[in-house]
Amino acid sequence: ALWGSCRLYGGSSVGYSHSGDVHSHFPRPYTLVASGYCMMFESSIISSLRALADSSGIVGFFAVVAASYLPYLLVALAVFTIVRVRPPRMRLWSAVYVSLSALLARGIFAGALHVLWSRPRPFVALGFQPLVVVDPGASFPSGHVSLLATLAVAVFAVNRRAGWWLGAGALVVGIARMFSGVHWPSDI
């Protein structure tokens, strides 16, 4: 019900305040933003996740490890899976397919959405210190999850088991990045 209340509109900023506060450094000539109950719902989710991460050192530790280091392990799994493809001609096709998929999804599609939907990261909007160091630029969409989910789907076409592992890993990275306070749930 709350998600049905989300609406999009054009504006000159991210839709929070135009009075020079912390959000005004996100100007765009035309920006699509979420407002109303959607932002309240997402803010409550992020606040709850952050409270859990702050109250439990082990949760915070795993959030940092999964948000910062797990993506490298997942990319290595994708490369390892492609290198093991037989015969060599199929290996080349698989490498090109996975590479082009990642380039299109992360480099072009996610990059375009980054420009069109410029909203601040949760730690900027809610005023807290994130668990991982990131650029305070726009948060939507998550580049990490865009890349990892694309790799999971592309690798799934080559090796189903590795594709499932990559998909599960992409989900874990997305949740960890929410716990870390650098992405909203709808960024993932």
Side-chain angles (χ1 to χ4, degrees), residues 11-68:
S12 62
S13 183
V14 290
Y16 291 93
S17 173
H18 302 283
S19 61
D21 68 355
V22 1
H23 310 295
S24 64
H25 69 278
F26 288 94
R28 295 282 191 251
Y30 185 77
T31 304
L32 300 174
V33 296
S35 65
Y37 293 113
C38 182
M39 288 307 296
M40 290 186 337
F41 182 64
E42 288 193 312
S43 295
S44 66
I45 290 173
I46 294 298
S47 296
S48 299
L49 293 176
R50 285 294 302 172
L52 180 61
D54 289 342
S55 67
S56 171
I58 193 83
V59 172
F61 171 77
F62 281 118
V64 169
V65 169
S68 300

Side-chain angles (χ1 to χ4, degrees), residues 15 43 45 48 63 65 67 86 102 114-115 118 121 143 159 162 166 168 170 180-181 183-184 188:
S43 295
I45 290 173
S48 299
V65 169
R86 300 271 188 244
H114 222 68
V115 171
S118 179
R121 293 183 182 272
N159 182 320
L166 283 168
S180 300
H183 283 294
W184 301 100
I188 306 302

Side-chain angles (χ1 to χ4, degrees), residues 2-13:
L2 291 176
W3 288 104
S5 300
C6 297
R7 63 180 187 271
L8 304 176
Y9 61 92
S12 62
S13 183

Side-chain angles (χ1 to χ4, degrees), residues 57-143:
I58 193 83
V59 172
F61 171 77
F62 281 118
V64 169
V65 169
S68 300
Y69 303 109
L70 182 58
Y72 294 110
L73 180 65
L74 294 173
V75 169
L77 173 62
V79 170
F80 179 73
T81 302
I82 298 304
V83 168
R84 294 196 46 184
V85 170
R86 300 271 188 244
R89 185 176 60 174
M90 189 69 169
R91 183 180 315 137
L92 177 63
W93 176 88
S94 300
V96 169
Y97 171 69
V98 170
S99 300
L100 284 177
S101 298
L103 175 69
L104 287 173
R106 173 59 180 107
I108 296 173
F109 184 68
L113 284 176
H114 222 68
V115 171
L116 291 175
W117 191 313
S118 179
R119 68 175 173 175
R121 293 183 182 272
F123 70 90
V124 173
L126 302 177
F128 60 83
Q129 187 67 26
L131 295 179
V132 295
V133 178
V134 295
D135 175 41
S139 69
F140 182 82
S142 170

Side-chain angles (χ1 to χ4, degrees), residues 71 74-75 78 98-99 101-102 146-156 163 166:
L74 294 173
V75 169
V98 170
S99 300
S101 298
S146 298
L147 175 66
L148 294 174
T150 302
L151 285 177
V153 171
V155 167
F156 185 82
L166 283 168

